[in-house]
Amino acid sequence: MPTRDTDWSTRHSVLTNARRTAALVNALTVGPAPDPEAVAAVLHEFGEKGPLHLTAQDVGRMRVAAVPLREVFAADDVDTAAATLNRLLRECAGPLRLTSHGGGTPWHPHLDRDDDAPWDEWLLTSSCLALAVLVWDHQRPPGRVCASSACGNVFVTQGQGPERRYCSRRCATRERVAAHRRSRPGARPMTRALPPPLDEVSD
């Protein structure tokens, strides 16, 4: 049985919340629209408990919320990342408050209206809060878009070790192979997977 401190470090830390943001942005904006079960699986992977009762409409609105979050990960420098976060916080965030979700979690900050706020509002505000703290703590962009020409995933760059260019070893290997193939005569270039236009996102 995990202790309260372990629960905090694994479920409620800023870095875990930022990584959850990246996973949700990828699930919601790369490729076709996911079904509610797929989005719920991501949330459960990052510690959400119990049945989540997501609807297709919830997922459609979360997809819209995830698009501007990609801009934070795509920022080339800390000033651009901070300016994007400031805009999103100004447009979407409510007053800072603390919640324990009725005693079910350690106390932690929220910027949505209340514990029953819609999923898209929760996604945008909780993500901005976590990413803003990473910018504050490290004074650099909190993440980036994978450098692989065949991948559109975003990822958090605040872990240990040198700054990463790829979201995974698989993408790094695939890019090396692709570069080798491109060096051959008559090779066809690969194109990056991009998120869908907003007019293709259902309500």
Side-chain angles (χ1 to χ4, degrees):
M1 191 76 179
T3 65
R4 186 181 178 90
D5 289 343
T6 300
D7 184 61
W8 172 263
S9 66
T10 57
R11 290 187 57 208
H12 300 284
S13 73
V14 171
L15 189 56
T16 296
N17 285 340
R19 288 172 174 159
R20 180 189 63 199
T21 295
L24 286 169
V25 168
N26 293 335
L28 291 162
T29 67
V30 178
D35 58 35
E37 290 76 16
V39 177
V42 175
L43 291 166
H44 283 136
E45 179 183 353
F46 283 88
E48 293 293 328
K49 302 294 186 182
L52 298 179
H53 307 299
L54 283 167
T55 67
Q57 186 177 47
D58 291 330
V59 171
R61 291 174 176 170
M62 290 174 77
R63 291 189 83 199
V64 174
V67 170
L69 291 171
R70 285 188 65 92
E71 298 176 29
V72 183
F73 288 93
D76 292 328
D77 54 65
V78 66
D79 292 344
T80 303
T84 303
L85 284 166
N86 279 339
R87 173 174 58 82
L88 294 176
L89 289 166
R90 183 172 59 251
E91 294 174 353
C92 305
L96 182 67
R97 63 188 179 84
L98 290 168
T99 181
S100 68
H101 297 283
T105 71
W107 288 98
H108 59 284
H110 269 233
L111 288 172
D112 48 6
R113 286 172 291 176
D114 55 53
D115 289 351
D116 295 321
W119 282 104
D120 55 316
E121 181 181 331
W122 165 82
L123 171 62
L124 196 52
T125 57
S126 64
S127 298
C128 284
L129 180 59
L131 297 176
V133 172
L134 290 185
V135 170
W136 174 19
D137 199 30
H138 296 276
Q139 296 298 303
R140 64 176 188 258
R144 65 186 303 162
V145 180
C146 182
S148 171
S149 58
C151 182
N153 283 348
V154 302
F155 62 97
V156 175
T157 57
Q158 305 292 339
Q160 298 295 321
E163 186 174 355
R164 294 159 49 200
R165 297 182 60 230
Y166 302 100
C167 67
S168 65
R169 291 183 179 178
R170 180 180 180 183
C171 274
T173 300
R174 181 170 58 195
E175 187 65 14
R176 285 194 295 270
V177 171
H180 175 69
R181 289 176 177 170
R182 286 194 299 268
S183 67
R184 297 177 178 176
R188 297 176 62 184
M190 299 177 68
T191 57
R192 179 185 295 277
L194 296 175
L198 280 178
D199 58 6
E200 294 182 8
V201 177
S202 60
D203 289 331

